[in-house]
């Protein structure tokens, strides 16, 4: 489906949306922004709601559902309801989002302050002030999940982003969730299908991540961090609480699957690392709790180095 391929210069103006869609509709200003599309200097305010029993599958965002172009210096400040997946700027980002800010508060299955899911994309100098309650998987202050598009060799870069929002538990008794992070909830790069790498660099989290009934919880990245993923020069200042695999920087760093190494003996897999990272927050959980990483598995020579924890930890100081 073709989308917006032109240029929209907002010049600092606001667009007020008041959308109540039926249960078969996704809701945003645009549906698609094509690779040639460019939107800048626009604030989105108002209300985005869906109705009906199928709302758990609906996608919502301030600017667009799918972005393949460039979104620059845009702001989201919305009231949203009855949706399943939300991104403050884009729901799914396959392009560039630069210097954007989210103020929207929400609580749904998968949430990201800037985008819900980022595929082979670039997110640079973005900020989140929105507060989120966890009701499922893949919640992050900047992006719920980042991954690659199979056989697309474009790197994923999350650079210079900051979260100030609070992430808190919204589950009922007995429910649990996974992959919750101050910056990224879940990061997965499949080294078997792409040569792309993921870099998360110069990012900071100031918000509390209170995920009492969650596994894979981190101040920067929640967990199931798989493939060649580098977390560099990042700092966490917020308190982080979870159940299992809880860390000031990363909840669980898995690296490359050991089965791949066995099956493809002799192949040199690209490596990842956690380097030059700092934790100042109070980190607590039931097991696998660390000031830097709750757990760190290096099957292909991944590196954890030059990191510092000065926060109180109910577990080991480093990993």
């Amino acid at each position: 489906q073709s989308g917006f391929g032109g240029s929209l210069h907002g010049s600092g103006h606001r667009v007020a949306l008041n959308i109540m869609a039926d249960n078969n509709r996704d809701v945003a200003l645009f549906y698609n922004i094509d690779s040639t599309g460019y939107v800048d200097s626009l604030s989105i305010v108002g209300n985005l709601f869906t109705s009906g029993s199928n709302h758990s599958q609906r996608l919502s965002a301030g600017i667009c559902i799918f972005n393949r172009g460039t979104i620059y210096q845009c702001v989201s400040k919305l009231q949203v309801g009855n949706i399943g997946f939300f991104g403050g700027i884009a729901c799914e980002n396959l392009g560039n989002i630069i210097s954007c800010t989210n103020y929207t508060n929400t609580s749904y299955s998968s949430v990201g302050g800037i985008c819900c899911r980022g595929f082979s994309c670039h997110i640079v100098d973005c900020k989140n002030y929105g507060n989120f309650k966890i009701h499922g998987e893949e919640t992050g202050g900047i992006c719920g999940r980042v991954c690659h598009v199979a056989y697309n060799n474009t790197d994923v870069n999350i650079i210079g982003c900051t979260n100030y929002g609070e992430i808190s538990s919204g589950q009922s008794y007995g429910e649990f969730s996974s992959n919750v992070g101050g910056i990224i909830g879940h990061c997965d790069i499949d080294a078997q299908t792409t040569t792309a790498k993921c870099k998360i660099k110069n990012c900071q989290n100031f918000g509390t991540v209170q995920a009492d009934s969650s596994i894979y919880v981190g101040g920067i990245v929640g967990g199931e961090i798989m493939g060649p993923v580098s977390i560099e020069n990042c700092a966490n200042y917020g308190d982080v609480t979870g159940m299992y695999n809880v860390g000031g920087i990363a909840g669980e760093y898995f690296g490359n699957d050991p089965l791949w190494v066995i099956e493809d003996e002799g192949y040199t897999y690209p490596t990842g690392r956690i380097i030059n990272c700092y934790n100042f927050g109070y980190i607590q959980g039931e097991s696998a709790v660390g000031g830097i990483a709750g757990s760190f598995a290096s099957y292909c020579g991944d590196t954890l180095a030059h990191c510092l924890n000065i926060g109180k930890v109910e577990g080991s100081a480093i990993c």
Side-chain angles (χ1 to χ4, degrees):
Q1 182 177 357
S2 62
F4 177 73
S7 296
L8 174 60
H9 304 290
S11 300
H13 288 86
R14 296 193 307 168
V15 172
L17 302 178
N18 190 15
I19 300 175
M20 171 61 81
D22 64 33
N23 66 340
N24 293 315
R25 299 287 183 179
D26 302 321
V27 286
L29 178 64
F30 293 99
Y31 190 76
N32 277 340
I33 295 180
D34 286 343
S35 58
T36 58
Y38 182 89
V39 178
D40 77 84
S41 307
L42 193 66
S43 293
I44 305 297
V45 300
N47 305 292
L48 299 179
F49 289 85
T50 64
S51 62
S53 60
N54 197 33
H55 59 76
S56 64
Q57 302 301 313
R58 300 279 58 85
L59 312 179
S60 180
I63 300 293
C64 63
I65 301 300
F66 301 104
N67 174 53
R68 293 173 175 81
T70 297
I71 303 174
Y72 176 66
Q73 286 191 342
C74 288
V75 176
S76 172
K77 193 171 185 179
L78 294 160
Q79 298 291 324
V80 296
N82 295 331
I83 57 171
F85 304 90
F86 176 78
I89 301 299
C91 192
E92 297 193 355
N93 179 37
L94 294 91
N96 306 304
I97 301 180
I98 303 168
S99 300
C100 291
T101 304
N102 174 65
Y103 292 96
T104 303
N105 303 317
T106 190
S107 55
Y108 292 101
S109 300
S110 185
V111 174
I114 299 302
C115 66
C116 180
R117 294 174 180 168
F119 299 93
S120 301
C121 65
H122 304 283
I123 303 174
V124 181
D125 293 335
C126 291
K127 295 179 175 63
N128 174 63
Y129 293 91
N131 300 319
F132 308 141
K133 285 192 175 182
I134 307 160
H135 281 284
E137 298 184 356
E138 301 174 353
T139 298
I142 298 298
C143 187
R145 180 181 183 183
V146 295
C147 54
H148 68 287
V149 177
Y151 305 105
N152 181 333
N153 296 323
T154 302
D155 290 346
V156 179
N157 290 303
I158 313 297
I159 309 294
C161 293
T162 306
N163 175 58
Y164 297 97
E166 306 293 324
I167 299 176
S168 59
S169 177
Q171 299 104 323
S172 301
Y173 179 78
E175 294 180 336
F176 75 94
S177 60
S178 61
N179 300 309
V180 182
I183 300 295
I184 306 295
H186 180 194
C187 187
D188 183 5
I189 305 296
D190 186 347
Q192 286 189 310
T193 60
T194 181
T195 60
K197 301 177 180 64
C198 176
K199 181 180 290 185
I200 301 165
K201 185 175 182 180
N202 299 341
C203 293
Q204 299 181 88
N205 174 57
F206 291 92
T208 297
V209 181
Q210 184 179 356
D212 309 71
S213 301
S214 300
I215 59 175
Y216 312 134
V217 181
I220 300 298
V221 184
E224 293 190 278
I225 302 168
M226 303 178 74
V229 178
S230 294
I231 305 173
E232 307 175 12
N233 307 336
C234 292
N236 173 61
Y237 299 90
D239 295 342
V240 179
T241 304
M243 291 178 65
Y244 314 127
N245 292 291
V246 184
I249 299 299
E252 183 205 47
Y253 191 107
F254 194 78
N256 286 308
D257 192 318
L259 293 177
W260 300 347
V261 181
I262 294 170
E263 292 174 358
D264 300 330
E265 186 175 354
Y267 177 76
T268 302
Y269 277 87
T271 59
R273 61 185 186 171
I274 301 177
I275 189 167
N276 296 336
C277 291
Y278 307 92
N279 174 61
F280 299 86
Y282 175 27
I283 314 301
Q284 57 183 322
E286 295 183 15
S287 67
V289 182
I292 300 300
S295 60
F296 185 88
S298 176
Y299 298 104
C300 299
D302 301 293
T303 301
L304 193 160
H306 307 301
C307 294
L308 174 66
N309 170 66
I310 62 172
K312 181 180 178 181
V313 178
E314 290 186 3
S316 62
I318 299 298
C319 182

